């Protein structure tokens, strides 16, 4: 099992082009930990904003009567990918992993695979 700190390091190191990572509690919108980012990428603000994205999607799924769970959400910008992966399982209820990637330098499929690996071993 991996701590938040170890999980953040694995998210950043496991994907070329990673710009920032966070582990977020979407019940409160608070980042439990961040790594990377900078003045143009405030991961704390992004954590809170992406909490709203998840809540909206869950609400829409409920209204539509859709069954199943969200694996991940991808937001594509001009120069970046923003990847959100909900953590399932006992230790991750209410958490998501958030990874920001440089669109040119990163491999989206590899990033999704790395987040899945991190999700499987994170322990909060």
């Amino acid at each position: 099992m991996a701590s938040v700190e170890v999980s953040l390091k694995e998210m950043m190191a496991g994907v070329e082009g990673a710009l920032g990572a966070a582990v977020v509690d979407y019940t409160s919108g608070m980042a439990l930990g961040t790594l990377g980012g900078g003045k143009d990428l405030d991961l704390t603000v992004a954590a809170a904003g992406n909490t709203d994205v998840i809540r909206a999607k869950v609400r829409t799924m409920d209204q539509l009567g859709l069954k199943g769970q969200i694996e991940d959400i991808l937001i594509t910008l001009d120069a970046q990918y923003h990847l959100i992966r909900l953590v399932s399982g006992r230790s991750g209820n209410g958490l998501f992993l958030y990874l920001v990637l440089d669109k040119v330098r990163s491999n989206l499929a590899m990033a999704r695979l790395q987040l899945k690996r991190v999700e499987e071993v994170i322990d909060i």
Side-chain angles (χ1 to χ4, degrees):
M1 297 310 234
S3 68
V4 170
E5 183 179 322
V6 169
S7 296
L8 290 167
K9 289 177 182 175
E10 288 178 8
M11 289 165 65
M12 291 291 288
V15 181
E16 184 176 344
L19 302 173
V23 176
V24 184
D25 175 353
Y26 68 81
T27 58
S28 68
M30 300 288 293
L32 303 179
T34 63
L35 186 62
K39 69 177 183 122
D40 294 331
L41 179 60
D42 185 331
L43 292 169
T44 304
V45 172
N50 285 308
T51 295
D52 292 336
V53 170
I54 291 171
R55 289 178 183 161
K57 186 59 188 172
V58 169
R59 187 173 49 251
T60 302
M61 287 176 64
D62 287 343
Q63 291 172 345
L64 293 172
L66 297 176
K67 304 297 179 209
Q69 296 181 349
I70 299 169
E71 287 184 15
D72 54 34
I73 298 170
L74 171 65
I75 300 168
T76 305
L77 305 178
D78 293 350
Q80 297 174 346
Y81 291 124
H82 290 235
L83 189 57
I84 301 165
R85 181 164 187 99
L86 275 67
V87 178
S88 61
R90 182 184 54 82
S91 68
N93 194 22
L95 299 179
F96 68 90
L97 306 176
Y98 174 60
L99 184 62
V100 180
L101 304 164
D102 179 290
K103 194 173 177 181
V104 173
R105 295 183 13 230
S106 64
N107 179 318
L108 186 55
M110 293 303 294
R112 290 185 70 219
L113 182 60
Q114 183 65 12
L115 285 186
K116 185 176 190 287
R117 289 179 186 145
V118 171
E119 176 206 358
E120 290 171 349
V121 297
I122 193 169
D123 186 31
I124 308 297

